[in-house]
Amino acid sequence: MVLSVAAGLSSCVITPDKMEQAPIDPKRAEAFAAKDSNGHAIQLYTLRNKNGMTVELSNYGATIVSINVPDKNGKVENVTLGYDDHAGLASGTSYFGCVVGRYGNRIAKGTFNIDGVEYHAPLNNGLNTLHGGINSIDKQVWKARVMNDAIAFSITIPDDQNGYPGNLKLKVVYSLREDNSLAIDYTASTDKSTVINVTNHAYFNLSGDPSRKNLDHELMINADRFTPVDSTLIPTGELRPVKGTPFDFTIAKAIGKDIEADDEQLKFGGGYDHNFVLNTNSKNVPAVVVKEKSSGRMMEVFTTEPGVQFYTGNFLNGVEKGRGVAYQHRTGFCLETQHFPDSPNQPAFPTTLLKPGETFKSQTIYKFGLIAE
Ligand code: BGC
């Protein structure tokens, strides 16, 4: 179910039978309510299921503001890093919970070629373009449509914005289900051939305590290969077996087990900041499973995407603040389901080209539960 409240408004979308189990914190709604410079309204939306799980979303950046999940004692806590208000979202630089695109992850030198025409996106990450470039869709106001148990955000990215060709119509639907899974469905179409790679950039900490390091989370990534990178985090093109390397998460191990190993790839990333080539795209077989023993929480990730960027929050350094803390090094981790970085320049990688008349579709599910005793 979806609840929607803007500061100063009483515009709620609450079915009457659910009202009593759907309290909204007006202070929270007010903190995330704003208007952009064009007068477009920004507001907080809350999805809630019968198990007491809630997901807060903002139409600014189509952002996951929080995901609140019960632990083994039934205590509901936020399992993502986040800000306390809209100002935090607007000034943040770490992409907490937002949708990144139109090309998430990196494009080498911001340059790519479609049908013999060279395109240039602004460089915002050393020599490269990261997450679409500055002021991309993560810093814009999306249209919101409230549905029964879901919320749809949509945006049209104009032709040539940040140098990418084509008016790209993009829709992201967040649905909260009764099995404690949050499904994210992406759909896009274009009027000129373009490149697309969209994902959500939530940082997770399943302990519920954002001051705790993520290193003791147990992680399984269903990937026999990963895409090694150069020192600027651009893939070399190789699909390297994980076997015998710190990148082998095929059998669950703590995130921190090998993170300090003497390994060139880990040095380039300052930890894990790499795309894994998934063995599965099935709705029934998880691509990733994470377990956090102190809270008893676990999360499974299912995706139709061919890869996942596993990023251990290596660049967090106490500058970003929220939830009563300054987020420190490796307190959150991201599982960005995606096509591979720099695919427009890597013909052997699955294509990220979208042509007029085609529909891009992608689905990722983050499913929460408890570790079996
Ligand atoms: C990238 C990191 C980057 C982070 C925040 C991740 O997707 O792989 O290198 O620091 O996003 O921008």
Side-chain angles (χ1 to χ4, degrees):
M1 88 163 335
V2 179
L3 316 171
S4 150
V5 171
L9 293 179
S10 56
S11 70
C12 307
V13 181
I14 308 174
T15 53
D17 58 315
K18 304 271 177 65
M19 257 180 175
E20 68 291 347
Q21 59 172 55
I24 289 182
D25 179 350
K27 284 208 183 102
R28 188 106 174 129
E30 193 174 335
F32 282 93
K35 278 199 171 30
D36 74 357
S37 52
N38 298 318
H40 298 131
I42 297 161
Q43 70 179 79
L44 192 69
Y45 299 84
T46 306
L47 293 166
R48 171 179 285 263
N49 73 9
K50 287 184 185 136
N51 311 318
M53 180 175 163
T54 59
V55 178
E56 291 179 313
L57 302 159
S58 169
N59 61 320
Y60 186 79
T63 300
I64 295 176
V65 170
S66 70
I67 302 179
N68 305 283
V69 194
D71 72 359
K72 61 185 175 191
N73 301 316
K75 188 172 180 199
V76 176
E77 286 171 312
N78 185 358
V79 294
T80 63
L81 308 193
Y83 304 106
D84 294 333
D85 52 25
H86 174 70
L89 282 183
S91 62
T93 55
S94 299
Y95 300 91
F96 284 1
C98 58
V99 170
V100 290
R102 79 173 70 183
Y103 199 94
N105 215 311
R106 292 177 173 80
I107 295 182
K109 301 188 175 62
T111 299
F112 58 96
N113 192 300
I114 301 174
D115 299 332
V117 180
E118 194 165 275
Y119 296 95
H120 299 277
L123 309 185
N124 61 342
N125 188 246
L127 295 174
N128 305 316
T129 300
L130 177 67
H131 300 328
I134 39 161
N135 292 328
S136 196
I137 53 174
D138 55 290
K139 296 288 183 216
Q140 288 173 33
V141 183
W142 296 48
K143 281 195 186 126
R145 189 159 67 88
V146 172
M147 295 178 284
N148 192 33
D149 58 355
I151 178 116
F153 294 123
S154 54
I155 196 166
T156 299
I157 313 178
D159 182 29
D160 201 30
Q161 187 181 81
N162 276 357
Y164 299 88
N167 293 295
L168 185 77
K169 285 190 182 162
L170 177 61
K171 185 161 90 167
V172 179
V173 181
Y174 290 98
S175 320
L176 179 59
R177 298 171 174 170
E178 294 303 332
D179 65 355
N180 284 4
S181 62
L182 175 67
I184 313 177
D185 285 274
Y186 303 84
T187 319
S189 60
T190 182
D191 58 3
K192 269 188 203 166
S193 288
T194 190
V195 290
I196 181 165
N197 192 27
V198 280
T199 189
N200 184 280
H201 207 294
Y203 288 65
F204 297 98
N205 185 322
L206 299 187
S207 76
D209 176 356
S211 67
R212 275 178 67 160
K213 297 271 185 200
N214 57 31
L215 301 174
D216 55 4
H217 285 69
E218 298 259 323
L219 178 73
M220 187 286 294
I221 308 181
N222 194 345
D224 292 334
R225 294 170 299 169
F226 75 110
T227 51
V229 289
D230 67 16
S231 63
T232 73
L233 301 185
I234 294 293
T236 60
E238 182 190 350
L239 304 185
R240 186 179 291 173
V242 296
K243 207 171 171 54
T245 78
F247 290 79
D248 191 352
F249 285 93
T250 54
I251 293 170
K253 67 177 178 189
I255 290 177
K257 178 158 184 285
D258 297 323
I259 202 167
E260 298 298 349
D262 184 13
D263 177 277
E264 187 183 51
Q265 285 298 313
L266 287 173
K267 292 207 172 88
F268 286 160
Y272 297 101
D273 194 352
H274 293 77
N275 171 65
F276 286 71
V277 180
L278 293 172
N279 297 333
T280 171
N281 301 107
S282 158
K283 284 197 171 163
N284 306 315
V285 182
V288 182
V289 180
V290 199
K291 296 182 179 170
E292 201 285 315
K293 285 198 180 124
S294 72
S295 64
R297 292 190 183 95
M298 63 179 277
M299 178 176 81
E300 295 171 295
V301 184
F302 302 83
T303 187
T304 57
E305 287 295 301
V308 64
Q309 183 86 5
F310 173 47
Y311 168 56
T312 39
N314 313 311
F315 296 109
L316 294 175
N317 56 7
V319 170
E320 303 271 23
K321 296 186 180 69
R323 301 182 56 198
V325 299
Y327 295 109
Q328 303 295 342
H329 189 227
R330 297 184 183 155
T331 47
F333 59 90
C334 303
L335 292 163
E336 301 155 57
T337 52
Q338 59 173 5
H339 274 57
F340 306 169
D342 199 34
S343 295
N345 295 309
Q346 304 268 2
F349 287 177
T351 185
T352 50
L353 191 66
L354 182 69
K355 297 183 188 151
E358 294 176 346
T359 303
F360 169 89
K361 276 186 191 293
S362 165
Q363 185 184 58
T364 292
I365 294 171
Y366 295 105
K367 183 175 181 196
F368 297 88
L370 295 176
I371 304 170
E373 295 280 305

